[in-house]
Amino acid sequence: MKTIILNPLPIGIEGTTIKDAFIKVGGNPGNMLFLESMKEELDYSDIITLNTPVDNIPKDASIVVPSSNFICKGGNSSFYEKYIDFFNKIDNQITFCGLGAQSTKTLNTPQKLVNALHPIQKKFFKRMSEKATSIGVRGEFTAECLSLLGIHNVRVIGCPSFYKYLDGKYPIIDQPSLRGGGVQMTFTPGGFERSKVLLLGMKYNCSWVIQEMGEYPRTVDVFGHEMLSMKWILKNAPSVVLKEHELQEYNKKMSHVFWDLNTWNEFYKRENIKFAFGTRFHGNMEALRNGVPALWITHDSRTAELTDFLHLPKITIKEFSTIKCLDELLEYCDYTELRKNYYDLCKNYVDYLTENKLAHKYNLTYESGE
């Protein structure tokens, strides 16, 4: 049976602005990672989009959609309607891999989040369930959301970007170091506690990997000069008590944004990055996939459920608020549990792929516990 990947990222977007570039990667360059990782893991025959004519899709093919935070309040109705229309046109089995739920400060439980979903979203998840043997979700928070919607054909798998090593053996990871190399910082705008991540990154002149438009603080004044708006600071980094030009200079000198994975991968060698930390899940995962020790700062249900399930080293945002020096973060980088559990996590992921009839490249010759 053939395996087909349905690319969920926008295509055909033209333009040269930063906003256009972010739209092309679905609003976040991290989205490239779960798509590209599945291309590495699957023995697929084709990549399609929702615009692919149904007649061009083999009727016996199994389809997989690399997924992100589809369970969220205020999602674009037309996005879900397009998928429902696609479901209705095909008879193929289709599963969503890495599906997540995005909580907020007020919608901080599965029940509250589910109650806030639009009827078209609930219809989408019901049809999704009917088309799949199982849905691959990021963690228990997401699984509980679907359960509350009456959907139970779910398997918790984490994120496909985690399963790079096809033999089931995770390599030894060097202890992080602050000597002889650079440090990567990722930051999620908004909130007093989260902006302390940016503040620590600035203190140690860390390379700032930007992952969304709202994180990009450059503006242009009436004379055409780049400047930083104080409004941006107050909204996105309220704990950063600095003059505008100081943050602007840091952003200009140390920020990076990537539109393809090859360039992102090259960044780690070029800048000799030795350690990564921050609130961005895929920013840290891209570092880890390049052999760079990374520490996740969990600030929402999404990062918490992923790090818990995958046994990734983490520190809560509350714990992070007490950190004064970058050296203190190194103590949290223990990969013992990750390496110990990697085979079993891979086996669970392969079982998910197999039960959904997705051809893969895994050969789990490594034995659990070795």
Side-chain angles (χ1 to χ4, degrees):
M1 181 175 287
K2 293 183 178 180
T3 293
I4 292 176
I5 299 174
L6 195 161
N7 180 3
L9 299 181
I11 60 170
I13 303 295
E14 300 298 334
T16 58
T17 67
I18 289 293
K19 184 177 180 180
D20 293 331
F22 274 106
I23 291 174
K24 288 180 181 180
V25 294
N28 187 328
N31 291 335
M32 298 185 296
L33 187 53
F34 58 72
L35 174 62
E36 292 301 318
S37 61
M38 293 209 75
K39 288 166 63 176
E40 294 173 3
E41 297 159 3
L42 298 181
D43 186 10
Y44 64 96
S45 59
D46 199 5
I47 297 179
I48 64 172
T49 71
L50 289 177
N51 296 321
T52 299
V54 174
D55 291 343
N56 292 354
I57 303 173
K59 296 187 182 300
D60 64 342
S62 291
I63 303 172
V64 61
V65 186
S67 309
S68 57
N69 295 333
F70 289 6
I71 306 176
C72 61
K73 181 186 178 183
N76 187 334
S77 294
S78 64
F79 171 86
Y80 299 96
E81 288 169 347
K82 287 179 181 178
Y83 272 103
I84 292 171
D85 183 57
F86 184 76
F87 293 155
N88 292 336
K89 289 179 179 178
I90 64 169
D91 295 324
N92 304 67
Q93 176 174 289
I94 178 170
T95 181
F96 286 65
C97 182
L99 184 77
Q102 184 61 63
S103 64
T104 67
K105 277 190 175 181
T106 54
L107 305 177
N108 55 6
T109 69
Q111 187 66 70
K112 290 178 181 178
L113 181 54
V114 167
N115 289 345
L117 295 179
H118 190 278
I120 197 68
Q121 291 176 293
K122 296 180 179 180
K123 181 179 180 181
F124 162 77
F125 294 120
K126 184 176 184 298
R127 292 292 288 123
M128 175 197 290
S129 174
E130 293 169 352
K131 299 296 290 185
T133 296
S134 61
I135 302 166
V137 302
R138 294 185 170 180
E140 294 298 337
F141 187 98
T142 303
E144 188 173 346
C145 287
L146 291 177
S147 179
L148 290 169
L149 290 167
I151 297 170
H152 305 290
N153 56 330
V154 168
R155 183 187 284 266
V156 177
I157 60 167
C159 178
S161 63
F162 177 73
Y163 301 103
K164 177 180 178 179
Y165 303 101
L166 304 181
D167 63 352
K169 181 179 181 180
Y170 210 96
I172 294 175
I173 303 167
D174 294 335
Q175 281 299 111
S177 172
L178 302 181
R179 296 180 180 179
V183 176
Q184 170 189 293
M185 179 274 297
T186 58
F187 155 69
T188 305
F192 190 83
E193 289 182 321
R194 289 205 300 261
S195 57
K196 288 183 178 179
V197 178
L198 176 60
L199 196 59
L200 190 67
M202 292 179 65
K203 180 179 178 180
Y204 288 91
N205 215 31
C206 300
S207 293
W208 175 9
V209 174
I210 287 177
Q211 285 190 234
E212 69 170 82
M213 185 67 191
E215 196 179 343
Y216 204 84
R218 291 177 181 171
T219 59
V220 178
D221 66 16
V222 292
F223 301 104
H225 302 126
E226 283 192 347
M227 60 176 288
L228 181 67
S229 166
M230 180 57 74
K231 182 179 179 181
W232 186 95
I233 297 177
L234 294 174
K235 178 182 178 182
N236 296 297
S239 68
V240 178
V241 185
L242 294 168
K243 294 180 180 179
E244 293 153 283
H245 73 87
E246 293 178 286
L247 183 53
Q248 177 63 24
E249 283 301 310
Y250 172 65
N251 173 60
K252 186 176 181 179
K253 179 182 177 183
M254 300 303 296
S255 69
H256 306 264
V257 61
F258 304 102
W259 310 117
D260 67 85
L261 281 187
N262 286 336
T263 305
W264 199 346
N265 291 333
E266 291 167 2
F267 156 79
Y268 294 100
K269 293 181 180 179
R270 185 182 71 248
E271 300 296 327
N272 193 25
I273 301 297
K274 297 293 187 181
F275 175 55
F277 74 97
T279 56
R280 296 288 187 179
F281 181 83
H282 287 104
N284 284 321
M285 184 56 70
E286 174 66 352
L288 190 64
R289 285 170 61 91
N290 279 274
V292 177
L295 178 67
W296 280 257
I297 301 172
T298 58
H299 63 101
D300 60 8
S301 65
R302 173 177 172 270
T303 49
E305 69 175 352
L306 280 165
T307 53
D308 284 347
F309 182 73
L310 299 174
H311 299 276
L312 294 166
K314 65 178 181 179
I315 180 174
T316 67
I317 193 68
K318 185 176 181 179
E319 291 171 322
F320 180 82
S321 66
T322 67
I323 296 295
K324 304 298 182 185
C325 301
L326 203 56
D327 300 69
E328 297 176 60
L329 295 180
L330 306 187
E331 300 174 9
Y332 290 85
C333 284
D334 184 351
Y335 287 89
T336 304
E337 288 301 309
L338 184 159
R339 297 190 73 246
K340 179 181 177 181
N341 288 279
Y342 188 71
Y343 176 90
D344 291 334
L345 289 168
C346 268
K347 178 65 167 57
N348 176 65
Y349 182 54
V350 169
D351 287 346
Y352 159 76
L353 298 176
T354 301
E355 68 194 12
N356 286 282
K357 300 179 181 178
L358 300 172
H360 59 79
K361 301 176 184 177
Y362 288 91
N363 182 19
L364 302 183
T365 56
Y366 181 69
E367 293 184 9
S368 179
E370 285 191 5

